């Protein structure tokens, strides 16, 4: 009966697919390709109402096989054209993937052509997914326009040095700017992660002196709550502000927000340095908080720069004898786990072997926070003295002299 | 670690997942995902792009054709866990009917039936004892009309009225006994018609169940059924997906850097998987166990073994359902593991992870939705208690927790997503790390299966697997996965293992599923562009690795039943996964260990192949030349290991556990050589008899008398036999043959004849004294008492001709048995008497008084020469019936007559 036929057909189709899958997972591309030629038959009697239909299966598997085979780009392009017509609903998706492949293989011009073609594609009413894909296609075209603009700009700048300007090149460049700006502006309005698009758009705006627009775009990208909490948005804003020569206060407030989102961001060193230099007590205190918070993270454990920042600030406070309570407060929430996390004997040994200056900074902090009897300090200062390093002898003296500070912190 | 300077573009939206679908078999292929400029920089004329899903990764190839066992199978016999066939309704008819419907049908009735058959005492204990005399299961007709008045009487009997029962039993038997055979037949017929849409319950069954449903069962039927159903549902859901295995029960403690290549495998074992082993393993071409393992016996099945190395020491956490324990293993090779602490939970624990930051810190989750930070020094700290799931409602009580880049921040997971909590202020400070929703581009129905902190590769990265995809998350950009890939595995990956790569190399993640034993190797790396770190990229295609079951085809050919047993053992669900990278200047290889529920640990080696320069496309060669399949046949070393493993396995299987055999003695100890010397061959009489039998069969006639009439009188047998029956050996063998040997032995040894006679006389005196109070039926037999008591005596030293013994044989064994009454003394071996001996009657559960009655009756009929044994079937059924006189007499009359004709 026809039902049975359908059932059998479906079964053999599934079996074929599982063979292909098996071959792909074992990197047997040729075997997979042979099975795929059999699978193509399933297109004829497509009764399936599955999530991924046969046309998409063929596209995905075929593409995968092409990625790994050494066939020519021409063949691949031909295959992709076929696939575009095979599944109308997936046209834009297939186009995008084709374009990505071209871009990754350095075929920028072909990619641009394909982008323009895909942009002009219309078929019935667009679904939400297609709408998103179309926006991406436009954005990538904008990106390529930006690269062309950037190329022209470099030519002009080089030529400009020679005192020779080419009006045609300049006009072409402006043309690219307009095309790029329109498309890039569109995509970055939609919530998402658009790091490269934002960077390019801001670069364009800055070149043409539209700093307000650039600032606004970056502000929007960083602070719009519909967007994900992307640390890069804050980094771009901070870098822009820095380029603009904004005041310390503005920079600090930008970094403060980054600190709140990602206390372990690498810009926290800059932030701490900036705060330490500040004359305001509150800022300096915040600096101490920032560096303590950064060193909480496993990724910072062996960051010599961060430890030297902390060591410097702690030393400063101890020498001045003022604000020991800042340290005390920071320390109180850490004293139950920092000794095991940072100042174990095992770490002392390893740090000493691997990075002497790191162990110096850490020993200083350990000596002040945990006293001169702390394992880490004892080991490192002992090793340092044994190795006749003046720096470590000084360290030992300093910690011994300031032992009362330790008592005040721990008390 | 720096945050990537630019991330791959992607849309971000919030809300529940919109994308429909399910697991698609090919969803992970053929996509680059997105591209990002990651080239040498913008100064160049051409920007270079990198895809999110890169095509090239490191090449790792299997070194052998299949996985190889690392440890020899233990002595304990493995008990396979239930399979779907065990608990599912598997009628062909039913399958067809249900083909259109989704969902399986649990075979509830069969399981309940199993319970009744396997535990009859628990199911029907007291009432069974009370009533079994009133139920008759024989085939012969019970000449009694089951009158409704009496059958209805049963339910009205008070359950505890034990006093009433003797009264009831003293009634004439026919009024209180019902024949159940028809009922049983009805039940059998019902079984055969199962699944038939037009089945009709037999009315008899209906009334029986109506009558006794309420009182027959020891445990109320409704309650029992509820419990069983609950258990069945639990078993079935475990078969579909067993989340208690999440995380895996295998850990590898790598050797210290620069030390000897001896690592340690931590794995469960034993029959109940409740022994924890720390086994030293030498890393050679094939890893080899060294020495005997350190062993700990735990009080529950080990579900998970988690390990982390802090400050050069390994901390191993072990989770069973209600207990979690932590061991410390010093880094020095050969140092003994020390147990540190054990905690007990009221609700089964679902997760145990060991902190990679601080020594002796672990996190524990229970199925009640509680998350604890467990420190060996300070004890347990409860961080959260919420029986509800986090982001939307899901019925699963599975919870998970792991550590993050911040040692004081823990992640908590349920099926709907992950949240991070600060242990210093768990109520206030938390953020969402992953949500099943549009944020991560999830599909409808997607659920978190296993989260894992990837700290050894990148301090702020996290792996989350669902049944459809794997995600890599960065804590610094929560909710948006930095990497997503549809893994296309057939079963959800419940095991994962990370092998961090050195800078510039890819990190390797192994994903493992339990029931399908799938094993997938993924690689991802951080793209570096222009010196700064950039976004995460999936490197190369995922690779399927050998499963344990895959080695079956490489094992030597086995007999079918052994093949089946092996297949069952090797296809047991996976229970754990561990791996290690071995790198030296020349070779890089990867060792992957897989644990199965049967307790087997298999391993496979992958070797790294340096990337080949891409060949020019114009070459004539086949385009896929760079793909080399793994070797076809196992290496000699692997084959040797298979053989050793098989040998050990067959040894373990051949030796059955002691209790499954009845105690046995060697024949040589029991019998002297002379005893064992049988007759040299068939005697001439036997030969004659056989010939006669053959002849008669050919003629189609019948032998009415075995007496060799037309031939010479039989010669006297050579063997000396006691005058009163067969020799002791044949009597013993006969008893052994019928299974009554023990009884025979007991009778022979425990009482001497004299003792028994004394006991009998004593009893007779008592009976005489009591006779005055006896009922009519007892007094009726008085004249014949002597005879019956003698029959009791006659058991000793005489063959117990039990029903199983063919009568012809007995005659062949002792030719003179043809005329036993002539030679026998008064206490002759009358077979009927033997069968009616008090012991055999007691064995059949016939009460004492009735035993006597029965004997008396039979002895009346046995006045004349005693009868030879009857065909087994009729005897057995008769003696089972403690029933009416009329029936017995009708049955025994022809018995009496026939032998007379014959002799």
């Amino acid at each position: 009966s026809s039902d049975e036929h359908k059932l059998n057909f479906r079964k053999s189709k599934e079996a074929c697919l599982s063979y292909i899958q098996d071959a792909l997972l074992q990197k047997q591309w040729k075997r997979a390709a042979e099975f795929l030629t059999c699978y193509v038959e399933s297109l004829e009697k497509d009764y399936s109402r599955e999530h991924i239909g046969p046309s998409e299966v063929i596209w995905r598997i075929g593409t995968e096989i092409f990625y790994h085979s050494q066939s020519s780009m021409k063949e691949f392009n031909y295959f992709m054209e076929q696939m575009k017509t095979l599944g109308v609903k997936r046209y834009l998706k297939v186009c995008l993937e084709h374009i990505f492949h071209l871009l990754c293989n350095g075929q920028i011009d072909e990619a641009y052509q394909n982008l323009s073609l895909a942009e002009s594609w219309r078929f019935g009413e667009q679904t939400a997914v297609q709408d998103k894909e179309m926006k991406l296609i436009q954005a990538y075209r904008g990106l390529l326009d930006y690269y062309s603009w950037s190329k022209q700009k470099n030519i002009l700048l080089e030529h400009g040095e020679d005192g020779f300007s080419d009006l045609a090149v300049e006009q072409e460049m402006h043309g690219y700017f307009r095309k790029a700006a329109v498309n890039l502006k569109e995509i970055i309005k939609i919530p998402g992660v658009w790091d490269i698009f934002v960077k390019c758009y801001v670069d364009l705006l800055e070149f043409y002196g539209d700093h307000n627009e650039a600032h606004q775009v970056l502000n929007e990208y960083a602070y719009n709550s519909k967007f994900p909490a992307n640390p890069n948005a804050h980094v771009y804003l901070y870098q822009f502000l820095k380029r603009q020569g904004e005041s310390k206060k503005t920079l600090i407030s930008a970094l403060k927000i980054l600190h709140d989102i990602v206390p372990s961001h690498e810009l926290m060193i800059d932030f701490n340095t900036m705060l330490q230099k500040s004359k305001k007590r509150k800022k300096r205190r915040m600096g101490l908080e920032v560096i303590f918070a950064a060193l909480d993270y496993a990724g910072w454990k062996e960051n010599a720069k961060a430890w030297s920042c902390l060591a410097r600030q702690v030393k400063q406070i101890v020498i001045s004898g003022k604000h020991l309570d800042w340290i005390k407060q920071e320390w109180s929430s850490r004293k139950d786990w920092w000794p095991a996390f940072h100042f174990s004997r095992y770490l002392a040994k390893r740090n000493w072997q691997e990075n002497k200056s790191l162990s110096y900074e850490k020993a200083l902090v350990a000596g002040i926070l945990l006293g001169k009897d702390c394992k880490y300090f004892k080991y490192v200062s002992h090793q340092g003295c044994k190795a006749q390093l003046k720096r470590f002898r000084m360290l030992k003296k300093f910690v011994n002299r300031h032992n009362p500070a330790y008592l005040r912190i721990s008390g | 670690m720096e945050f990537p300077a630019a991330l791959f573009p992607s849309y971000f939206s919030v809300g529940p997942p919109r994308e429909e679908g399910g697991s698609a078999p090919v969803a992970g292929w053929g996509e680059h995902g997105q591209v990002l400029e990651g080239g040498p920089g913008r100064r160049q004329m051409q920007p270079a792009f990198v895809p999110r899903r890169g095509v090239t990764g490191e090449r790792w190839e299997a070194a052998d054709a299949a996985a190889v066992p690392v440890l020899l199978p233990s002595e304990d016999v493995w008990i396979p866990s239930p399979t779907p066939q065990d608990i599912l309704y598997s009628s062909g008819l039913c399958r067809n009917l249900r083909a259109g419907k989704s969902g399986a049908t649990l075979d509830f009735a069969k399981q309940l039936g199993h319970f009744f058959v396997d535990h009859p005492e628990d199911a029907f204990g007291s009432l069974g004892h009370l009533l079994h005399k009133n139920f008759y299961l024989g085939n012969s007709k019970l000449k009694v009309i089951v009158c409704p008045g009496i059958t209805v009487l049963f339910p009205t009997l008070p359950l505890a009225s034990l006093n009433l029962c003797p009264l009831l039993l003293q009634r004439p038997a026919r009024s209180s006994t019902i024949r159940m055979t028809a009922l049983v037949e009805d039940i059998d017929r019902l079984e055969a018609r199962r699944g038939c849409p037009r089945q009709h319950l037999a009315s008899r069954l209906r009334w029986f169940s109506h009558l006794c449903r309420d009182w027959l069962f020891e445990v109320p039927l409704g309650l029992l059924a509820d419990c069983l159903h609950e258990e069945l549902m639990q078993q079935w859901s475990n078969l579909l997906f067993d989340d208690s295995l999440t995380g895996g029960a295998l850990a590898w403690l790598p050797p210290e850097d620069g030390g000897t290549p001896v690592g340690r495998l931590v794995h469960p074992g034993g029959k109940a998987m409740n022994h924890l082993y720390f086994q030293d393993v030498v890393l050679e071409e094939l890893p080899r166990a060294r020495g005997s393992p350190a062993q700990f016996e735990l009080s529950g099945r080990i579900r998970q073994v988690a390990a982390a190395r802090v400050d050069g020491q390994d901390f191993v956490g072990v989770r069973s359902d209600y207990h979690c324990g932590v061991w410390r293993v010093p880094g020095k090779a050969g140092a003994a593991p020390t147990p540190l602490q054990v905690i007990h939970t009221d609700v089964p624990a679902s997760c145990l992870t060991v902190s990679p930051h601080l020594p002796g810190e672990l996190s524990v989750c229970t199925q009640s939705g509680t998350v604890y930070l467990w420190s060996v020094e300070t004890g347990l700290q409860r961080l959260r208690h919420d029986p509800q799931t986090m982001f939307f409602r899901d019925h699963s009580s599975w919870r998970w927790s792991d550590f993050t880049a911040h040692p004081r921040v823990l992640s908590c997971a349920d099926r709907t997503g992950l949240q991070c909590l600060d242990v210093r202020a768990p109520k206030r400070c938390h953020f969402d790390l992953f949500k099943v929703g549009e944020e991560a581009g999830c599909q409808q129905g997607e659920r978190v299966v296993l989260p894992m902190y990837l700290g050894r590769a990148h301090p702020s990265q996290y792996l989350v697997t669902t049944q459809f995809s794997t995600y890599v998350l960065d804590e610094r950009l929560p909710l948006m996965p930095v990497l997503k890939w549809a893994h296309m595995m057939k079963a959800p990956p419940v095991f994962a293992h990370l092998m961090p790569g050195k800078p510039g190399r890819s990190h390797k993640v192994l994903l493992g599923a339990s029931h399908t034993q799938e094993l997938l190797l993924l690689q991802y790396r951080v793209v570096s562009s222009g010196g700064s770190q950039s976004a995460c990229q999936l490197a190369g295609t995922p690779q399927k690795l050998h499963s344990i079951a895959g080695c079956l085809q490489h094992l030597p050919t086995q007999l079918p039943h052994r093949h089946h047993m092996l297949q069952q053992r090797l296809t047991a669900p996976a229970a754990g996964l561990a791996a290690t990278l071995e790198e030296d200047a020349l070779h890089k290889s990867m060792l992957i260990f897989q644990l199965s529920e049967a307790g087997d640990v298999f391993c496979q080696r992958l070797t790294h192949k340096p990337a080949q320069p891409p060949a020019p496309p114009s070459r004539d060669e086949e385009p896929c030349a760079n793909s080399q399949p793994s070797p076809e046949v196992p290496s000699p070393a692997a084959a040797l290991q298979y053989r050793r493993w098989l040998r050990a396995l067959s040894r373990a299987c051949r030796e059955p556990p002691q209790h499954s055999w009845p105690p046995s003695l060697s024949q040589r100890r029991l019998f002297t050589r002379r005893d064992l010397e049988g007759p040299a061959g068939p005697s001439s009489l036997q030969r004659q008899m056989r010939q006669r039998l053959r002849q008669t069969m050919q003629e189609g006639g019948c032998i009415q008398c075995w007496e060799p009439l037309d031939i010479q009188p039989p010669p006297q047998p050579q063997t000396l036999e006691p005058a009163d029956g067969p020799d002791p050996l044949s009597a013993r063998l006969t008893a052994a043959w019928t299974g009554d040997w023990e009884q025979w032995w007991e009778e022979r040894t425990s009482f001497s004849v004299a003792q028994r006679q004394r006991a009998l006389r004593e009893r007779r005196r008592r009976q005489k004294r009591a006779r005055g109070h006896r009922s009519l039926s007892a007094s009726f037999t008085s004249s014949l008492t002597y005879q019956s008591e003698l029959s009791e005596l006659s058991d000793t030293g005489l063959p117990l001709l039990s029903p199983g013994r063919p009568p012809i044989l007995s005659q062949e064994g002792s030719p003179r048995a043809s005329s036993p009454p002539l030679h026998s003394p008064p206490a002759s071996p009358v077979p009927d008497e033997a069968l009616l001996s008090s012991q055999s009657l007691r064995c059949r559960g016939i009460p004492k008084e009735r035993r006597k009655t029965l004997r008396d009756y039979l002895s009346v009929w046995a006045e004349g020469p005693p009868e030879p044994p009857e065909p087994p079937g009729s005897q057995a059924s008769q003696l089972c019936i403690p029933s009416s006189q009329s029936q017995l007499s009708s049955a025994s009359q022809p018995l009496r007559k026939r032998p007379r004709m014959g002799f």
Side-chain angles (χ1 to χ4, degrees), chain A residues 22 27 64 97 140 146 236, chain B residues 5 30 32 34 42 544 627:
Chain A
D22 216 49
K27 309 201 176 188
E64 191 70 32
E97 286 296 329
Y140 275 107
Y146 164 80
Y236 298 156
Chain B
H32 279 311
Q34 291 288 336
R42 233 177 290 160
K544 190 175 150 188
S627 65

Side-chain angles (χ1 to χ4, degrees), chain B residues 138-210:
Chain B
N139 281 324
S140 50
K141 281 267 157 46
L142 191 64
K143 282 207 177 157
V144 65
I145 299 139
V146 179
C147 93
I150 285 172
T151 41
V152 176
L153 197 72
F154 293 156
T156 54
L157 259 177
L159 265 181
S161 66
L162 283 161
N163 303 338
L164 270 174
C165 290
L167 284 179
L168 184 74
L169 295 175
Q170 275 172 10
R171 287 156 177 266
R174 73 158 154 195
S175 58
S176 61
T177 306
I178 54 168
R179 188 165 168 266
M180 301 295 285
T181 320
L183 205 62
V184 173
E185 278 165 7
D186 275 345
I187 292 173
D188 289 345
R189 232 172 281 139
L190 197 69
E191 182 68 29
R193 278 193 310 195
R194 182 175 252 198
C196 172
R198 292 196 190 153
Q199 60 175 325
H200 297 293
L201 283 170
S203 59
R204 199 173 330 179
L205 277 182
R206 209 177 318 141
W207 71 244
F208 184 75
S209 71
H210 179 73

